[in-house]
Amino acid sequence: MRWYRKAAEQGNAGGQYSLGVCYAHGDGVSQDRTEAVRWYRKAAEQGNAGGQYKLGMCYYNGVGVPQNYVEAVRWFRKAAEQGDAGGQYMLGVCYRNGTGVSQDYAEAVKWVGKAAEQGYAPAIEYRTN
């Protein structure tokens, strides 16, 4: 935790992402989802795909921020375009359900397929159902 904080405060995106995870789960600090969002955003804005995915999940679920599906899709797309399997999967789910975007089954299949190709278990399961 101490090293994550040092790295995060020096602008290291990986440290910012990791510090966000610590706050989200209460690992080494008191759980604070608003603080988690703050660190995820810093990482995400620097192009950290994990931070983008986690920030998207926060918006999708309304955790630490007001629920906003359009904003969730924006961050999922950024992560997905960098090859993040979680971002790809969630972008596909959003397209499948028309959540934050117009429903588009072809886009849903495309993005979930990309995540499944990486071995992302939820995507593999989703495709078989």
Side-chain angles (χ1 to χ4, degrees):
M1 176 64 199
R2 183 173 143 230
W3 292 108
Y4 291 151
R5 183 174 304 284
K6 280 183 175 275
E9 289 173 350
Q10 291 177 19
N12 179 279
Q16 292 165 342
Y17 166 79
S18 296
L19 189 56
V21 171
C22 290
Y23 275 108
H25 298 284
D27 293 336
V29 293
S30 295
Q31 187 178 45
D32 185 336
R33 292 186 173 118
T34 302
E35 192 68 5
V37 167
R38 183 170 87 88
W39 289 108
Y40 289 153
R41 184 178 311 282
K42 286 180 179 287
E45 288 173 349
Q46 290 192 72
N48 180 280
Q52 293 165 344
Y53 166 70
K54 291 286 194 178
L55 187 56
M57 289 303 294
C58 290
Y59 278 109
Y60 187 84
N61 293 310
V63 174
V65 291
Q67 190 173 50
N68 183 331
Y69 294 129
V70 172
E71 192 68 7
V73 167
R74 181 169 88 87
W75 290 108
F76 290 149
R77 183 178 311 284
K78 287 179 180 286
E81 288 174 349
Q82 291 191 73
D84 181 86
Q88 291 169 339
Y89 171 71
M90 286 305 299
L91 185 57
V93 169
C94 289
Y95 273 114
R96 169 69 173 89
N97 298 328
T99 307
V101 291
S102 297
Q103 193 171 46
D104 185 330
Y105 293 119
E107 282 294 300
V109 168
K110 171 183 144 183
W111 288 109
V112 170
K114 286 178 181 277
E117 287 169 9
Q118 293 189 62
Y120 192 69
I124 294 167
E125 183 177 331
Y126 189 86
R127 283 178 31 170
T128 61
N129 291 329

